[in-house]
C-alpha cells in the first residue's frame, strides 16, 4: 500500500499531466470550461494517447465521466 507521500506525489503527477493536456488541447483546438472540467475529473494516462480532441472525449466518455 502506498504511503501518504507516495499518494500525494502520484496525485500531483496526474494533475500536472491533466493541466498539460488542457493547455495543449486549448491551444490546438480550443476547449470549453466543461471540457476542461471533464479532463480534470479523470485520473489516468489513456487520454494522453489520443490523436484528436474528439478522441480524448471519446476516452473520457468510456470512463463514465
Amino acid at each position: 500500500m502506498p504511503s501518504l507521500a507516495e499518494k500525494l506525489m502520484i496525485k500531483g503527477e496526474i494533475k500536472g499531466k491533466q493541466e498539460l493536456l488542457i493547455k495543449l488541447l486549448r491551444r490546438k483546438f480550443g476547449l470549453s470550461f466543461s471540457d476542461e472540467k471533464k479532463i480534470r475529473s479523470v485520473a489516468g494516462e489513456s487520454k494522453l494517447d489520443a490523436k484528436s480532441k474528439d478522441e480524448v472525449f471519446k476516452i473520457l466518455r468510456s470512463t463514465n465521466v
Side-chain angles (χ1 to χ4, degrees):
M1 177 167 234
S3 69
L4 178 59
E6 290 170 327
K7 288 179 185 178
L8 290 173
M9 187 173 74
I10 291 168
K11 193 172 186 176
E13 288 175 8
I14 290 170
K15 183 176 171 100
K17 289 175 182 180
Q18 289 169 331
E19 294 303 318
L20 176 60
L21 178 62
I22 288 168
K23 183 177 180 178
L24 294 171
L25 289 174
R26 186 186 303 134
R27 181 178 179 156
K28 189 166 184 177
F29 305 111
L31 284 177
S32 68
F33 178 75
S34 64
D35 290 344
E36 291 182 25
K37 189 174 176 181
K38 287 177 189 176
I39 291 169
R40 286 186 179 100
S41 70
V42 176
E45 295 186 5
S46 61
K47 59 188 175 285
L48 299 177
D49 297 327
K51 305 286 189 249
S52 69
K53 179 181 169 183
D54 291 335
E55 194 173 338
V56 169
F57 288 100
K58 182 178 178 184
I59 292 167
L60 292 174
R61 281 190 298 275
S62 72
T63 59
N64 296 318
V65 174

